[in-house]
Amino acid sequence: MHSIAILGGTFDPIHFGHLRPALELTQQGFDEVRLMPCHVPAHREAPDCSAEQRLAMVELAVRNEPALTVDVRELEREGDTFTVDTLLEMRQELGEEVSLNLIMGMDSFVGLHRWHCWEQLIDLANIIVTERPGQMLPTEGVMARFLKARQVSSSEQLQQASSGRVLVQQLALLDISATRIRALIKAGQSARFLLPETVWDYIEQHRLYRS
Ligand code: ATP
């Protein structure tokens, strides 16, 4: 079955902390990892970086890596998007015989039961929970029970199911955040080697994140 992992984010800017885990998932047999930049209300965007520029940087970053793709549907939709609506739309496009896998950090996973239509969401996709040091798996409550019922131990088991399974996965841990990159640039320092050279060149060329 064709398998797609989905990594959503603001990518403001995209950096190796996003790209390395995405690549590792392709090395574990996922056919495609889709980077999905999200819509950010204008007042919450970094004041000197537009949605078009965030997208341009994501596209530059994946240009030579065919298994990493870019999905613009959330960026193009006006207003906030519910993940469940994105997944519904993808299902309608791709049909049932595709393994859809939503990537989320442990911090998001523990609060998943508060997401809009979360029970429908897990009928539409599997979940890849990425582990960070110091973050604990839930041991009681709704998400602990959910995990007990749905957890699998290998990426193959996700790739064989179109939805409904959960894998807790340790991926590359790079201590890089977009916040830190923006702060470096604002302070007049270089952010090279935290993100692809092509993205850094774009940032310099367009004088992003300086004010
Ligand atoms: P910001 O610092 O602006 O909050 P960010 O660097 O955390 O941004 P996002 O675009 O918010 O980047 O992240 C998108 C997704 O990538 C999130 O699920 C986030 O947990 C994950 N992610 C971000 N940085 C890393 C990293 N260094 N290692 C692993 N996952 C990361």
Side-chain angles (χ1 to χ4, degrees):
M1 186 176 337
H2 188 74
S3 55
I4 302 175
I6 304 158
L7 178 63
T10 45
F11 304 119
D12 193 16
I14 190 162
H15 53 70
F16 288 139
H18 305 123
L19 291 161
R20 187 66 212 177
L23 184 70
E24 288 188 0
L25 288 172
T26 69
Q27 290 168 342
Q28 287 175 25
F30 289 92
D31 296 306
E32 186 184 337
V33 178
R34 285 197 191 189
L35 302 170
M36 197 177 281
C38 61
H39 174 83
V40 176
H43 64 278
R44 274 182 30 215
E45 283 214 79
D48 49 0
C49 182
S50 65
E52 292 72 28
Q53 289 170 326
R54 286 189 291 124
L55 173 62
M57 291 187 281
V58 174
E59 283 176 338
L60 280 173
V62 302
R63 204 165 51 183
N64 295 317
E65 207 53 67
L68 303 186
T69 59
V70 187
D71 191 317
V72 297
R73 76 186 67 227
E74 291 198 348
L75 210 54
E76 286 179 346
R77 210 176 293 157
E78 286 301 312
D80 285 344
T81 331
F82 289 116
T83 304
V84 69
D85 295 328
T86 299
L87 293 174
L88 264 174
E89 201 178 290
M90 289 181 78
R91 270 279 165 237
Q92 277 161 7
E93 276 167 31
L94 299 164
E96 294 304 313
E97 286 302 303
V98 172
S99 169
L100 284 184
N101 300 272
L102 192 64
I103 303 168
M104 65 176 75
M106 184 73 80
D107 48 335
S108 303
F109 178 74
V110 296
L112 182 65
H113 60 287
R114 290 189 291 268
W115 288 27
H116 180 66
C117 298
W118 82 282
E119 279 164 326
Q120 188 184 3
L121 186 150
I122 58 184
D123 281 338
L124 290 163
N126 300 310
I127 297 170
I128 300 172
V129 185
T130 56
E131 260 186 318
R132 290 286 222 355
Q135 291 178 344
M136 307 285 278
L137 277 172
T139 52
E140 54 187 35
V142 189
M143 292 325 291
R145 289 194 293 280
F146 174 70
L147 200 58
K148 197 159 174 237
R150 309 290 189 111
Q151 189 170 9
V152 296
S153 56
S154 72
S155 41
E156 290 78 32
Q157 287 168 288
L158 288 190
Q159 289 150 17
Q160 287 157 8
S162 56
S163 65
R165 295 181 178 173
V166 184
L167 178 70
V168 180
Q169 177 75 63
Q170 190 114 52
L171 292 168
L173 288 170
L174 302 176
D175 187 14
I176 303 173
S177 72
T179 303
R180 178 155 156 251
I181 290 172
R182 293 192 303 271
L184 278 171
I185 298 169
K186 200 170 167 186
Q189 289 177 324
S190 172
R192 276 182 86 195
F193 311 130
L194 296 174
L195 69 186
E197 198 68 22
T198 48
V199 176
W200 176 243
D201 288 345
Y202 184 94
I203 290 172
E204 289 226 293
Q205 208 180 341
H206 294 85
R207 303 183 64 78
L208 303 183
Y209 308 117
R210 298 212 174 192
S211 57

Short mmCIF file of all heavy atoms in Angstrom, two decimals, residues 3 21 35 38 50 56 63 67 71 81 93 108 127 131 135 145 153 155 165 172 192 208:
data_model
loop_
_atom_site.label_atom_id
_atom_site.label_comp_id
_atom_site.label_asym_id
_atom_site.label_seq_id
_atom_site.Cartn_x
_atom_site.Cartn_y
_atom_site.Cartn_z
N SER A 3 2.29 4.65 1.09
CA SER A 3 2.25 5.27 2.42
C SER A 3 2.75 6.71 2.39
O SER A 3 3.78 7.01 1.79
CB SER A 3 3.08 4.46 3.41
OG SER A 3 4.40 4.30 2.94
N PRO A 21 14.29 14.40 10.44
CA PRO A 21 13.29 13.39 10.78
C PRO A 21 12.44 12.98 9.57
O PRO A 21 12.10 11.81 9.41
CB PRO A 21 12.41 14.07 11.84
CG PRO A 21 13.24 15.17 12.38
CD PRO A 21 14.19 15.59 11.29
N LEU A 35 5.42 17.76 3.47
CA LEU A 35 5.55 18.90 4.35
C LEU A 35 4.36 19.81 4.07
O LEU A 35 4.10 20.15 2.90
CB LEU A 35 6.87 19.62 4.09
CG LEU A 35 8.09 18.72 4.29
CD1 LEU A 35 9.35 19.41 3.79
CD2 LEU A 35 8.26 18.32 5.73
N CYS A 38 1.34 25.50 7.33
CA CYS A 38 -0.02 25.88 7.74
C CYS A 38 -0.27 27.36 7.52
O CYS A 38 0.65 28.16 7.43
CB CYS A 38 -0.27 25.48 9.19
SG CYS A 38 0.82 26.28 10.34
N SER A 50 6.37 36.44 4.58
CA SER A 50 5.00 36.13 4.16
C SER A 50 4.80 34.63 3.98
O SER A 50 5.78 33.86 3.93
CB SER A 50 4.72 36.83 2.82
OG SER A 50 5.56 36.26 1.84
N ALA A 56 8.16 29.23 -0.33
CA ALA A 56 9.32 29.22 -1.24
C ALA A 56 10.50 28.51 -0.56
O ALA A 56 11.23 27.73 -1.19
CB ALA A 56 9.69 30.65 -1.62
N ARG A 63 14.02 20.38 -2.84
CA ARG A 63 14.14 20.33 -4.29
C ARG A 63 14.87 19.09 -4.80
O ARG A 63 14.49 18.53 -5.82
CB ARG A 63 14.83 21.59 -4.79
CG ARG A 63 14.50 21.89 -6.23
CD ARG A 63 14.86 23.30 -6.61
NE ARG A 63 16.23 23.61 -6.24
CZ ARG A 63 16.79 24.79 -6.41
NH1 ARG A 63 16.08 25.77 -6.93
NH2 ARG A 63 18.03 25.01 -6.06
N ALA A 67 11.37 12.16 -2.44
CA ALA A 67 10.40 11.56 -1.51
C ALA A 67 9.83 12.59 -0.52
O ALA A 67 8.86 12.31 0.17
CB ALA A 67 11.04 10.40 -0.75
N ASP A 71 2.77 20.09 0.31
CA ASP A 71 1.32 20.13 0.11
C ASP A 71 0.83 21.50 0.57
O ASP A 71 1.00 21.87 1.73
CB ASP A 71 0.68 19.00 0.93
CG ASP A 71 -0.78 18.78 0.60
OD1 ASP A 71 -1.50 19.79 0.46
OD2 ASP A 71 -1.20 17.61 0.47
N THR A 81 -7.64 25.94 9.79
CA THR A 81 -8.00 24.64 9.24
C THR A 81 -8.04 23.63 10.37
O THR A 81 -7.16 23.63 11.22
CB THR A 81 -6.90 24.12 8.29
OG1 THR A 81 -6.24 25.22 7.71
CG2 THR A 81 -7.46 23.21 7.25
N GLU A 93 -9.42 12.43 -2.13
CA GLU A 93 -8.55 12.44 -3.31
C GLU A 93 -7.88 11.10 -3.54
O GLU A 93 -7.70 10.66 -4.67
CB GLU A 93 -7.42 13.45 -3.10
CG GLU A 93 -7.78 14.85 -3.46
CD GLU A 93 -6.73 15.83 -2.93
OE1 GLU A 93 -5.55 15.47 -2.83
OE2 GLU A 93 -7.13 16.96 -2.60
N SER A 108 1.77 17.19 21.62
CA SER A 108 0.46 17.30 20.95
C SER A 108 -0.37 16.05 21.19
O SER A 108 -1.58 16.13 21.43
CB SER A 108 0.63 17.47 19.44
OG SER A 108 1.42 18.58 19.16
N ILE A 127 -1.14 7.54 13.37
CA ILE A 127 -0.40 8.64 13.99
C ILE A 127 1.02 8.19 14.31
O ILE A 127 1.23 7.10 14.85
CB ILE A 127 -1.11 9.11 15.27
CG1 ILE A 127 -2.49 9.67 14.89
CG2 ILE A 127 -0.30 10.19 15.99
CD1 ILE A 127 -3.37 9.96 16.03
N GLU A 131 9.08 11.17 19.72
CA GLU A 131 9.50 11.29 21.11
C GLU A 131 10.58 12.33 21.26
O GLU A 131 11.51 12.39 20.45
CB GLU A 131 10.09 9.95 21.56
CG GLU A 131 9.14 9.11 22.37
CD GLU A 131 9.83 7.88 22.90
OE1 GLU A 131 10.61 7.25 22.15
OE2 GLU A 131 9.60 7.55 24.07
N GLN A 135 9.95 13.79 27.66
CA GLN A 135 8.50 13.74 27.48
C GLN A 135 8.02 12.32 27.77
O GLN A 135 8.60 11.37 27.28
CB GLN A 135 8.11 14.14 26.06
CG GLN A 135 8.35 15.62 25.80
CD GLN A 135 8.02 16.00 24.36
OE1 GLN A 135 7.88 15.15 23.50
NE2 GLN A 135 7.89 17.28 24.12
N ARG A 145 -5.36 4.89 27.32
CA ARG A 145 -6.21 3.77 26.86
C ARG A 145 -6.17 3.65 25.35
O ARG A 145 -6.09 2.55 24.78
CB ARG A 145 -7.66 3.96 27.35
CG ARG A 145 -7.82 3.75 28.85
CD ARG A 145 -9.29 3.60 29.24
NE ARG A 145 -10.06 4.83 29.04
CZ ARG A 145 -10.06 5.86 29.91
NH1 ARG A 145 -9.35 5.80 31.01
NH2 ARG A 145 -10.78 6.93 29.66
N SER A 153 4.45 -1.60 16.88
CA SER A 153 5.86 -1.47 17.26
C SER A 153 6.79 -1.25 16.07
O SER A 153 8.00 -1.14 16.24
CB SER A 153 6.29 -2.72 18.02
OG SER A 153 6.03 -3.85 17.23
N SER A 155 7.28 0.57 11.85
CA SER A 155 6.71 1.41 10.80
C SER A 155 6.01 0.55 9.73
O SER A 155 5.04 1.00 9.12
CB SER A 155 7.75 2.33 10.18
OG SER A 155 8.95 1.68 10.00
N ARG A 165 -3.88 3.24 13.57
CA ARG A 165 -2.77 2.74 14.39
C ARG A 165 -1.86 3.86 14.85
O ARG A 165 -1.81 4.92 14.24
CB ARG A 165 -1.95 1.72 13.59
CG ARG A 165 -2.74 0.47 13.25
CD ARG A 165 -1.89 -0.53 12.48
NE ARG A 165 -2.67 -1.74 12.21
CZ ARG A 165 -2.25 -2.74 11.43
NH1 ARG A 165 -1.06 -2.67 10.85
NH2 ARG A 165 -3.00 -3.80 11.25
N ALA A 172 15.54 11.61 14.65
CA ALA A 172 16.70 12.47 14.86
C ALA A 172 16.36 13.62 15.82
O ALA A 172 15.34 14.27 15.68
CB ALA A 172 17.13 13.07 13.52
N ARG A 192 23.66 29.97 9.46
CA ARG A 192 24.13 28.91 8.56
C ARG A 192 24.40 27.62 9.33
O ARG A 192 24.74 27.64 10.49
CB ARG A 192 25.44 29.34 7.89
CG ARG A 192 25.21 30.18 6.65
CD ARG A 192 26.52 30.52 6.01
NE ARG A 192 26.98 29.49 5.10
CZ ARG A 192 28.23 29.43 4.64
NH1 ARG A 192 29.12 30.31 5.02
NH2 ARG A 192 28.57 28.49 3.80
N LEU A 208 15.11 38.54 5.25
CA LEU A 208 14.02 38.11 6.14
C LEU A 208 14.46 38.13 7.60
O LEU A 208 15.65 37.95 7.89
CB LEU A 208 13.56 36.69 5.78
CG LEU A 208 13.08 36.48 4.34
CD1 LEU A 208 12.59 35.04 4.16
CD2 LEU A 208 11.97 37.45 3.99
#
